[in-house]
Each structure stands twice: as C-alpha cells, then as structure tokens.
Amino acid sequence: MNRRDFLKLSGQGLAALGLAGSGCLPQTPPSSGGVASVLAVSEEYLVFDPEGVTYELRPSEHKVLRLGAFCTPVWEVGGLGTEHGELNYPVAMDVDSQGRLYVVDLGNSRIEVYDKDGNYLRQIGPSRVEGATDRSYLNYCRHIDIDSQDRIYVCDSADHQVHVFDTQGDEIREFGEFGTEAGELNYPVAVAIDSSGNLHVVDKGNARVQVYAPDGTFLRSYGDYGTDRGGLQTPRAILIDASGNSYIADSADAQIDVFGSDGSVKDPIVPTFADGRGAHPMHLSWTPDGSIYVTALPASA
C-alpha cells in the first residue's frame, strides 16, 4: 500500500469516513495473548493524536506536516536551520492533551513546540549546540513521550539519561547514567509510559528495556541481547497498551517483540509491507482505533 492509498483511509480520512477499525486496511489478527494488531506498514513516519489528526515527519526534508483527508497537507513547519521554528533532522514527535505538537529536533539537540495550527510556541531543553554545559542540557535527544498530566519525557541518547519537563520547558528532574548495571543506560532511544505512570526506556546499547517509577527510581528490566525468543538485537521503539503489554520494534530482527505486563514473552509480530516484502520496524505509533502503525524500512532482497 503506497502513502497516498493509506492516507486516504487514515487519520482524518478514517475519522471522516467512519472507517476506523472497520477492516478496510490489512490487519494482523490478534494472537491468543490478546495483543494489538498491526493496521499498516509503511516507509512514511506518521503519528496520530487521539482525535485522529495525522502528522507526518520528514527527517531528511527537516519538516513536519499536518495532513487532512486524502493526503492533503493542512500546514507544514520546519525547514533546515537553527532559528526558532526551524529544524535539523527531526526524528520523533508527540502531541499533548491540548493538541500541542512536540518535535524532537535531533540536529539542534532540542524540542520544538507548535500549536495545533502550526504556530511556533517555544523551545524545550537547553541545547548542547547552544553551549549549555550542565546535566540539564539535551545532547542528541532521540524520542519523546507525554503522560496524562502533560509531563514531557525526553530520551537524551548521547548523555545516557532521561529528562522530564513541564509544558513550559522547566525541567522537573533527570535520571540515568552510562553503564551496564541495573538502572544504568547505554544510549536510550525511546520511552513509553504505562497505565501506572512507570517509564519503560529502550536501552539500545544494552539491548533491553528498563522500567523506572515516575520519580526515576529503577524498578526492573526485561529483554536481553540475543536471537532466541524474547531476545533483542537492535531495539528502536516501544509502545505499551492498556493491558500493560509492551511492543518493541527490533529492526535487526525484523520483528516486533511482545512482552506481557509481568515481563513474560509473547509471540512476536512480524510486520510486512502490503506487497509482501519484509520490513525492518523503526518506529511505532498508535492509531485512533488502538491498532499499531509501523514505520519501517524494506528488508534487503
């Protein structure tokens, strides 16, 4: 399924046509473990807000688009640069309860915030690029998640820590340090918040997921390096459903590893493109109907 065909039935298009979750798109049937299904696999990086608004991230073009029905851009923001409102290879985004869009601006080591109409609001996080030197600065941040109270959690990969900010950009706390021991991090690349408010951090360099309480206290970890069932090689993204199941995109294994709320290993999901090609999952997003949208690279022939 190409981008235009998918977007005709996604986001606002799905909402407007009343087709969300209707089976109009290819889906992987849920396993006996009651895990979520995959709605679609595409090379386009899409994120949906709870109302079904669709955003597309284009890292190499340094821009973000809000899309309407039938793939029509409503607005776009960005363009290569270092000034406010400009972007340098954005790699992730999320939306808060007020519809504000938070874009992880990797090349500028900052978070850019826009309102629902695409107007620039503010920057979050002092940036290494701007010469900040204390632990509160961002150093090649890779991912963001926002909790029910609109607290913003940022994976600061190069500094091996997670920052927590409020919506005005004031830092609440940070935690994590480099290492391989329990609670230590080695290039964290993604974070997701479960229904209890705990943080699940994809610890890429250690090939595991570490779980922390909201105050940053280490709780447990799951997954470890390997190719056996439940093993991780190159974990890149994470989602957590309402039942506490975790979905870990492992690009090297070309699958989505699934863990129960207790860390138990469930059957993996093997995403494929609509034409049958294999897929290396890179990013995961929830669709408005609770299915998973997978951004992926095609597997080598």
Side-chain angles (χ1 to χ4, degrees), residues 229 255-258 266-270:
R229 180 180 169 87
Q255 67 183 27
I256 300 169
D257 292 287
V258 185
K266 296 178 179 286
D267 291 336
I269 298 171
V270 180

Side-chain angles (χ1 to χ4, degrees), residues 76-93:
E76 66 177 57
V77 297
L80 178 61
T82 61
E83 299 299 320
H84 293 314
E86 296 177 333
L87 299 168
N88 182 3
Y89 208 80
V91 294
M93 55 187 168

Side-chain angles (χ1 to χ4, degrees), residues 113-218:
V113 187
Y114 303 87
D115 68 19
K116 62 182 63 177
D117 296 316
N119 299 306
Y120 173 81
L121 297 177
R122 68 185 67 90
Q123 171 182 318
I124 287 181
S127 166
R128 180 196 61 80
V129 173
E130 296 174 331
T133 57
D134 63 20
R135 279 178 58 85
S136 69
Y137 71 69
L138 298 179
N139 193 2
Y140 294 109
C141 42
R142 301 285 311 190
H143 191 254
I144 186 173
D145 201 12
I146 301 173
D147 70 13
S148 60
Q149 298 182 49
D150 285 343
R151 288 178 297 225
I152 301 147
Y153 299 82
V154 181
C155 273
D156 191 358
S157 300
D159 280 342
H160 316 289
Q161 61 184 358
V162 175
H163 296 267
V164 188
F165 298 96
D166 64 22
T167 56
Q168 296 304 307
D170 295 322
E171 187 176 54
I172 299 171
R173 70 182 65 89
E174 80 269 340
F175 61 90
E177 58 183 330
F178 176 74
T180 60
E181 300 299 320
E184 296 176 335
L185 297 168
N186 181 4
Y187 208 79
V189 294
V191 59
I193 302 162
D194 66 24
S195 59
S196 298
N198 296 323
L199 284 71
H200 297 236
V201 180
V202 176
D203 186 11
K204 180 182 176 184
N206 291 319
R208 64 188 177 187
V209 177
Q210 303 231 61
V211 186
Y212 302 84
D215 64 0
T217 301
F218 173 73

Side-chain angles (χ1 to χ4, degrees), residues 269-281:
I269 298 171
V270 180
T272 58
F273 289 94
D275 60 7
R277 290 176 299 162
H280 294 288

Side-chain angles (χ1 to χ4, degrees), residues 4-22 24-25 51-52 68-71:
R4 179 169 293 277
D5 290 341
F6 174 73
L7 286 173
K8 283 181 179 178
L9 294 173
S10 71
Q12 289 184 329
L14 278 172
L17 296 174
L19 296 175
S22 67
C24 59
L25 294 175
E51 296 179 354
F70 305 107
C71 195

